Amino acid sequence: MALPKLAPVQPAHDKLRALGILALNGMFDEMDALGVLRYAVSDVLPGDLAIVSSFGADSAVLLHLVAQVDPSMPVYFLETGKHFSETLDYVETLKKHLGLINVHAIHPSSDDVKRFDPKGDLWETDPDSCCHIRKTEPLEPITEQFGGWVTGRKRFQTKERGVLPHFELTSDNRIKVNPLAYFSDTDVNQYKIEHGLPEHPLFAKGYKSIGCAPCTSVVAEGEDPRAGRWRGLNKKECGIHFDFNGAIASPMTAATRHTLWKDGAFIADPFHDWTEASDPATASYTHVPLAVFLANRAAFLANPHPLGLLVSPGEGIEAVEADVGRFASIAIKFPGFTDGRGYSTARLLSQRYQYANEIRAIGDVLQDQIPLMRRCGFTAFVVTHEPTRQALIEDRLPEVALFYQPVGTAEIPVGTRPFLRRVS
């Protein structure tokens, strides 16, 4: 079944704001999973809620609740390309058994996989990046279409999830609904037995929490059910359930807001700054200063992970013309009192070099600059100026019709004075 083509929407939480997230969490008994889900679907976010399911060891419980409330609810399964074959079979088993009629598989970008994981072994050296390209990035545009989404997470699974509420308000002002938050391992197993739910084929073999095959192992008696995920690594989550600050969202207030504006919304930023401790051979999702890249070019080109480039005023992007395709993002820095050289750099990238990935503006980014920046090729903006932030959210950037430089070859109407160029 093809994915529905939905436009991203701004979440509307009038009902939630009226109740307050704390009051909403206080409305339900800890074990009233069905009541939580039914109320979320009917009153909190009617028609604006999706399910995200791993179709793992415990997934049948949540999906059974979904089937009772509304079997036509959209259910999204992250088909990473690394699942056990048993998991793929289990998807079909549960769809048929529960009568789910709106299940969609989400696949990672084939271009990203080809570029960053050509040998299929990224999970061995950088599991965080592997999860990002196979789970986080594919899921983000899906969840942006909804005001909230439902997860099967539970408090008992990890220490980090030990404070999990039924309802979370995330930093992008969406809601995560966790109907099974208070269920114990015993509760989950008892529910499956009482309702005759099909078991995941690997559960009986000791797989208590099932994700991608390379990163999932058998759990020994007495171990944490998620001990078999990323065994031996300091990793507990794939990333799709982290809020922007890397933690479970506060049950009362949203975390610090995102600052990256892209595709009409403030979103989580996967990139971070280069530091002295960073290694050119292993860096991932880092904006590398241009001078550092040139000094370590061979190591960066051999590095299999996603990278960005940081360009400061006065630095010539021409020095890396042959390598711009290596970068998933190029950040151009604007100091206070805007330096016009940044606009020229963006034009070189987008027009002369045909660079098609993200060009972002960072630094002193203000609302009256953004129309000019967009015109020169910028597609993303890191915004810390509050009035600019509000102008973007409310879609009230100033309209600019007169520019001092033409863009492209067809923007100069006949009769226009040579020092002024009007948008045609």
Side-chain angles (χ1 to χ4, degrees):
M1 181 182 295
L3 290 176
K5 295 182 178 179
L6 301 175
V9 297
Q10 291 298 320
H13 296 154
D14 291 341
K15 180 78 74 170
L16 180 62
R17 292 192 183 98
L19 291 170
I21 193 71
L22 185 62
L24 187 58
N25 276 310
M27 288 176 61
F28 299 92
D29 179 82
E30 292 181 354
M31 302 305 294
D32 188 12
L34 185 61
V36 168
L37 181 60
R38 181 173 285 129
Y39 192 78
V41 170
S42 63
D43 286 71
V44 180
L45 291 168
D48 200 16
L49 200 61
I51 310 295
V52 178
S53 177
S54 66
F55 284 82
D58 297 341
S59 296
V61 176
L62 177 62
L63 294 174
H64 182 258
L65 296 174
V66 171
Q68 294 179 71
V69 173
D70 181 3
S72 68
M73 283 184 66
V75 177
Y76 293 95
F77 167 60
L78 283 163
E79 216 302 48
T80 63
K82 294 290 184 181
H83 281 296
F84 292 98
S85 60
E86 289 88 343
T87 296
L88 302 182
D89 293 340
Y90 192 50
V91 172
E92 299 305 315
T93 298
L94 287 184
K95 284 167 58 178
K96 182 177 180 180
H97 182 85
L98 298 174
L100 301 173
I101 60 174
N102 202 5
V103 178
H104 308 279
I106 308 172
H107 299 268
S109 164
S110 57
D111 288 341
D112 282 350
V113 173
K114 182 179 179 180
R115 181 177 181 183
F116 300 119
D117 193 12
K119 297 180 181 179
D121 58 0
L122 182 58
W123 62 272
E124 292 186 277
T125 57
D126 191 351
D128 286 336
S129 290
C130 186
C131 286
H132 190 86
I133 65 172
R134 294 179 181 277
K135 295 183 178 180
T136 310
E137 284 197 345
L139 183 61
E140 192 168 88
I142 300 299
T143 56
E144 285 177 351
Q145 298 172 1
F146 297 92
W149 44 302
V150 182
T151 86
R153 292 175 298 160
K154 307 159 197 74
R155 288 185 165 210
F156 78 87
Q157 290 174 318
T158 64
K159 176 183 177 182
E160 290 76 12
R161 295 181 179 182
V163 296
L164 192 70
H166 281 138
F167 295 89
E168 294 174 85
L169 185 61
T170 64
S171 58
D172 62 352
N173 207 31
R174 285 178 165 78
I175 307 169
K176 284 184 183 177
V177 184
N178 310 301
L180 304 176
Y182 293 88
F183 272 48
S184 68
D185 189 31
T186 300
D187 295 327
V188 170
N189 292 327
Q190 185 62 34
Y191 188 102
K192 288 189 287 188
I193 293 170
E194 288 180 357
H195 295 88
L197 300 180
E199 198 71 86
H200 192 292
L202 295 177
F203 184 78
K205 298 180 180 179
Y207 292 87
K208 306 303 181 186
S209 179
I210 303 167
C212 293
C215 298
T216 303
S217 58
V218 171
V219 174
E221 188 69 30
E223 278 191 306
D224 185 308
R226 285 178 65 86
R229 303 288 292 278
W230 306 288
R231 188 178 290 279
L233 300 175
N234 184 26
K235 181 175 172 66
K236 299 292 185 183
E237 298 277 1
C238 65
I240 65 174
H241 292 307
F242 277 162
D243 199 38
F244 148 78
N245 63 354
I248 298 294
S250 166
M252 295 183 64
T253 59
T256 304
R257 295 173 297 178
H258 299 319
T259 58
L260 177 63
W261 176 268
K262 186 176 180 181
D263 297 330
F266 282 101
I267 62 174
D269 187 352
F271 282 89
H272 51 272
D273 295 334
W274 176 266
T275 68
E276 291 184 1
S278 301
D279 183 352
T282 60
S284 175
Y285 287 97
T286 302
H287 277 110
V288 181
L290 188 146
V292 174
F293 174 79
L294 290 174
N296 302 273
R297 180 174 179 273
F300 282 118
L301 292 181
N303 181 330
H305 309 312
L307 289 174
L309 182 70
L310 173 63
V311 183
S312 296
E315 293 183 323
I317 194 69
E318 299 90 340
V320 293
E321 176 182 355
D323 302 317
V324 294
R326 167 65 182 88
F327 303 106
S329 170
I330 295 181
I332 300 174
K333 191 171 184 178
F334 286 81
F337 306 105
T338 301
D339 191 313
R341 289 173 291 185
Y343 297 97
S344 298
T345 298
R347 291 183 62 197
L348 278 172
L349 286 168
S350 62
Q351 295 174 43
R352 182 176 298 178
Y353 303 155
Q354 301 298 303
Y355 177 76
N357 293 332
E358 176 189 277
I359 303 177
R360 69 165 65 180
I362 64 174
D364 194 39
V365 178
L366 303 177
Q367 55 186 304
D368 60 342
Q369 302 163 357
I370 292 177
L372 309 177
M373 290 174 169
R374 283 175 169 165
R375 188 168 170 271
C376 290
F378 285 95
T379 58
F381 310 89
V382 175
V383 177
T384 57
H385 182 244
E386 186 60 30
T388 299
R389 179 185 183 86
Q390 291 305 312
L392 283 166
I393 292 172
E394 297 168 14
D395 192 24
R396 52 175 177 80
L397 292 177
E399 294 185 9
V400 181
L402 199 62
F403 299 93
Y404 286 92
Q405 292 182 348
V407 168
T409 60
E411 202 178 76
I412 310 174
V414 175
T416 302
R417 286 178 293 176
F419 55 87
L420 289 179
R421 303 293 186 246
R422 186 177 300 279
V423 174
S424 57

